[in-house]
Amino acid sequence: MIIQNLQLPETINQLYVRAASADIRLQNKSLRINAQGEAAFTTYYNSFALKKWKKYTVVGQMSLTLTAKGRFEATLLGFQIQRGLKGKLEGDFVEKILAKETFSLREPGECELVYPDCECELLAFTIRALEASELYDGAYRSVVDEDLPDINLALAICTYKRERYVKANMALLNETIFSNSRSILNGHVRVYIADNGQTLKKEEIESETVKVFPNINSGGSGGFSRCMIEALADKDRYNLTHITLMDDDISFTHDVLARTYMFLRLLKKEHADIVISGAMLLMDAPHIQHASGEFIKPAGIVQHKRGYDLTEIRSIALNEIEEPVNYCGWWYCCFQLENALSGNLALPLFFQYDDTEWGLRNKRLEKVVVSGVCVCHESFEAKRTGWKDYYSMRNRLIVATLHRDSAFRGCGKLYFQAMIFIKIFYRIMFFKFNDAELLIMAVEDYCRGVEWLGSVDSAALLRDVQRRAAKEAGKSPLVGMTLTARLLKLLWVFGLKFKKTAADYIKNYHRFTAEDFWRRHLGLKVN
């Protein structure tokens, strides 16, 4: 069966194929390789992550099929990461020639090469044209003897006034899946859109497979929880098995969903509960990776393999080294829909750390990054504005409080007080008085407890936070002295309340991840 299709780009792109510009050209969705030219598919999108697929799925011996015309030599390659005597990473890789064969096809036809058994992280191939040749299609295949489960995906998109992205992505899905009977995803995907801004025109987007739900402005936590609720309601009717949470302002390809689908179908039984985390590439530089799996710890968030240039084969190979992942960013995160049951929706954090909290809460679930499963997203640095610091501070305090048994093990009152002091005093020192006030407000709101968090009007609070961020604060030293005094008082009050506040969050937060809570909060009918 086909495990991974070859992807041919619309324009020459080193994420898909490497070649000298004089050697190849794209025409009519095929690749022409000039005589004596070479095209290397040792690329991010067209290599195959053998070791990871063998670890988690039931794939067996791999083969490569090519639909082509002409006389050419195909070479099968493997890339193996170098390790020292004690298994320590040497920081490089070895390229191995695994097989080589020459084909002569006077008319378009299919040829096959079998990869020998090996311990390589990656498989890839090259084509050298002995005469002018054309490549039309290709795929990595494997014989799979087991009965495979039926997989049906619910795509969950939370959006707030980003019509352009939503319309573009729905057009892509319609063209490549819903109107394409040849797609392996046809009949296996449904879309649920929570419209927090209530600006989408349903008649322009809705169909039998795409549903739009006007939603209150309850942030990502409320939007994704709404999607989970609607998908759970349809679970039996459409035999939905998994849900994929996706940001609204991303771009992706059909193949991202196809790889997710195939990986899920082929999972070994012991990995059936796995969570797939999509890598993030930068929108304005899609060859640069922003994150490939995330890990939060007291010192901050680690975004693995950040800055990797995915046009470099070394980066592609080292990208396959598995790193510890304890949460998955909700720009692309796929898990069993069953795991949204039993009060396992998002905590109402509105913005930031909702995905972090859910991942830490579900620490029993394996989390994996699958090569090629990625989205392009604008960098967070480009989107950063002062008002977001409020949510970052408040929600980080909440998440650290709830998960002091795992990611924040050993973090007590002094850790929290030190974090508060450093973040706020830093802003005072650099005359960022508005930001300092917002962080003080964030700590004060944290101290109000989980009952306040669940009852606050999130849209009204957002307007208040944005208004405070936009006001003229001035840069008088007197303002700085006043804020410093407020900070010292805040730390004293925080210390007095911390034990009781933390106990309140830990004891009661599960009430605010339940479906009944979210139905009431979103103004829906309570079951």
Side-chain angles (χ1 to χ4, degrees), residues 453-521:
L453 182 71
S455 62
V456 68
D457 183 333
S458 54
L461 176 61
L462 173 63
R463 290 192 295 271
D464 183 36
V465 169
Q466 290 177 328
R467 177 185 58 79
R468 290 170 181 257
K471 74 178 184 179
E472 290 290 335
K475 293 190 176 181
S476 167
L478 184 60
V479 176
M481 292 173 62
T482 303
L483 285 172
T484 302
R486 285 181 61 189
L487 171 59
L488 295 175
K489 181 180 179 182
L490 176 69
L491 292 171
W492 178 69
V493 172
F494 179 91
L496 292 177
K497 291 185 175 182
F498 175 71
K499 186 175 181 180
K500 182 178 180 181
T501 302
D504 172 49
Y505 276 105
I506 293 168
K507 179 181 178 181
N508 295 308
Y509 87 100
H510 284 291
R511 290 168 39 209
F512 301 95
T513 63
E515 184 173 332
D516 281 355
F517 160 76
W518 275 112
R519 285 186 170 276
R520 287 191 298 271
H521 192 72

Side-chain angles (χ1 to χ4, degrees), residues 343-347 357-363 403 509-510 513:
N344 203 23
L345 304 181
L347 188 67
E357 193 284 318
W358 193 92
L360 295 178
R361 192 193 327 155
N362 290 275
K363 59 185 177 182
H403 300 288
Y509 87 100
H510 284 291
T513 63

Side-chain angles (χ1 to χ4, degrees), residues 6 28 89 131 136 170 329 361 451:
L6 182 69
N28 300 325
L89 176 68
E131 299 174 357
Y136 306 103
M170 291 310 102
R361 192 193 327 155
E451 295 285 348

Side-chain angles (χ1 to χ4, degrees), residues 228-368:
M228 291 185 215
I229 289 170
E230 300 296 345
L232 285 168
D234 283 349
K235 180 177 180 294
D236 294 334
R237 181 180 178 185
Y238 298 108
N239 191 28
L240 298 175
T241 58
H242 292 76
I243 187 165
T244 302
L245 310 186
M246 307 172 71
D247 268 355
D248 56 348
D249 56 346
I250 59 172
S251 64
F252 59 94
T253 66
H254 165 272
D255 193 68
V256 168
L257 298 175
R259 291 193 196 194
T260 301
Y261 172 79
M262 286 306 303
F263 197 82
L264 294 173
R265 286 202 76 196
L266 293 164
L267 280 173
K268 295 175 181 176
K269 289 182 173 58
E270 61 266 32
H271 298 298
D273 256 355
I274 211 160
V275 181
I276 296 178
S277 174
M280 183 198 290
L281 313 185
L282 297 182
M283 185 79 75
D284 56 352
H287 63 292
I288 300 298
Q289 184 169 258
H290 181 82
S292 180
E294 296 78 47
F295 190 90
I296 188 170
K297 54 185 180 179
I301 292 174
V302 177
Q303 291 164 323
H304 297 308
K305 305 177 177 73
R306 184 172 181 174
Y308 273 28
D309 183 344
L310 298 178
T311 63
E312 297 177 355
I313 185 60
R314 183 177 185 275
S315 293
I316 299 168
L318 298 184
N319 217 29
E320 290 308 303
I321 299 172
E322 289 201 78
E323 305 276 6
V325 174
N326 60 7
Y327 83 96
C328 306
W330 280 358
W331 52 78
Y332 191 97
C333 174
C334 181
F335 53 88
Q336 281 190 333
L337 189 54
E338 288 281 347
N339 289 319
L341 290 170
S342 304
N344 203 23
L345 304 181
L347 188 67
L349 298 177
F350 186 78
F351 174 81
Q352 291 191 343
Y353 288 96
D354 44 358
D355 49 6
T356 310
E357 193 284 318
W358 193 92
L360 295 178
R361 192 193 327 155
N362 290 275
K363 59 185 177 182
R364 65 180 180 83
L365 301 178
E366 278 187 291
K367 301 167 181 72
V368 64

Side-chain angles (χ1 to χ4, degrees), residues 61-288:
Q61 187 171 37
M62 299 297 300
S63 64
L64 174 72
T65 58
L66 300 172
T67 303
K69 175 185 175 183
R71 186 165 177 265
F72 57 90
E73 180 183 72
T75 302
L76 302 185
L77 301 173
F79 294 89
Q80 189 166 4
I81 296 171
Q82 281 189 318
R83 297 181 183 275
L85 293 176
K86 296 183 179 180
K88 186 177 180 181
L89 176 68
E90 295 291 312
D92 217 332
F93 65 93
V94 176
E95 178 181 328
K96 299 180 178 181
I97 296 177
L98 303 177
K100 187 179 292 188
E101 192 168 342
T102 299
F103 297 91
S104 293
L105 302 168
R106 296 305 166 197
E107 297 295 331
E110 188 174 277
C111 54
E112 182 178 19
L113 300 93
V114 178
Y115 284 92
D117 289 334
C118 64
E119 296 299 318
C120 296
E121 270 77 15
L122 289 173
L123 301 180
F125 66 98
T126 64
I127 295 176
R128 184 170 66 90
L130 305 177
E131 299 174 357
S133 303
E134 293 183 10
L135 177 64
Y136 306 103
D137 200 1
Y140 292 96
R141 295 174 180 260
S142 179
V143 175
V144 178
D145 296 325
E146 302 188 25
D147 292 332
L148 301 180
D150 188 24
I151 298 295
N152 294 293
L153 300 174
L155 303 187
I157 299 173
C158 168
T159 185
Y160 182 81
K161 298 183 179 180
R162 289 209 173 98
E163 296 87 345
R164 176 170 62 90
Y165 285 102
V166 174
K167 289 179 180 178
N169 287 332
M170 291 310 102
L172 170 74
L173 294 176
N174 186 60
E175 177 186 356
T176 59
I177 299 176
F178 304 139
S179 300
N180 180 11
S181 59
R182 296 180 59 193
S183 169
I184 62 169
L185 295 168
N186 186 271
H188 295 284
V189 173
R190 295 186 62 79
V191 181
Y192 297 84
I193 302 175
D195 180 15
N196 282 5
Q198 301 189 26
T199 54
L200 292 176
K201 295 180 180 178
K202 296 179 69 171
E203 64 274 12
E204 294 180 357
I205 297 175
E206 277 202 328
S207 66
E208 174 59 31
T209 49
V210 179
K211 298 299 177 186
V212 178
F213 303 97
N215 208 43
I216 66 170
N217 187 14
S218 49
S221 56
F224 284 124
S225 290
R226 175 68 184 272
C227 291
M228 291 185 215
I229 289 170
E230 300 296 345
L232 285 168
D234 283 349
K235 180 177 180 294
D236 294 334
R237 181 180 178 185
Y238 298 108
N239 191 28
L240 298 175
T241 58
H242 292 76
I243 187 165
T244 302
L245 310 186
M246 307 172 71
D247 268 355
D248 56 348
D249 56 346
I250 59 172
S251 64
F252 59 94
T253 66
H254 165 272
D255 193 68
V256 168
L257 298 175
R259 291 193 196 194
T260 301
Y261 172 79
M262 286 306 303
F263 197 82
L264 294 173
R265 286 202 76 196
L266 293 164
L267 280 173
K268 295 175 181 176
K269 289 182 173 58
E270 61 266 32
H271 298 298
D273 256 355
I274 211 160
V275 181
I276 296 178
S277 174
M280 183 198 290
L281 313 185
L282 297 182
M283 185 79 75
D284 56 352
H287 63 292
I288 300 298

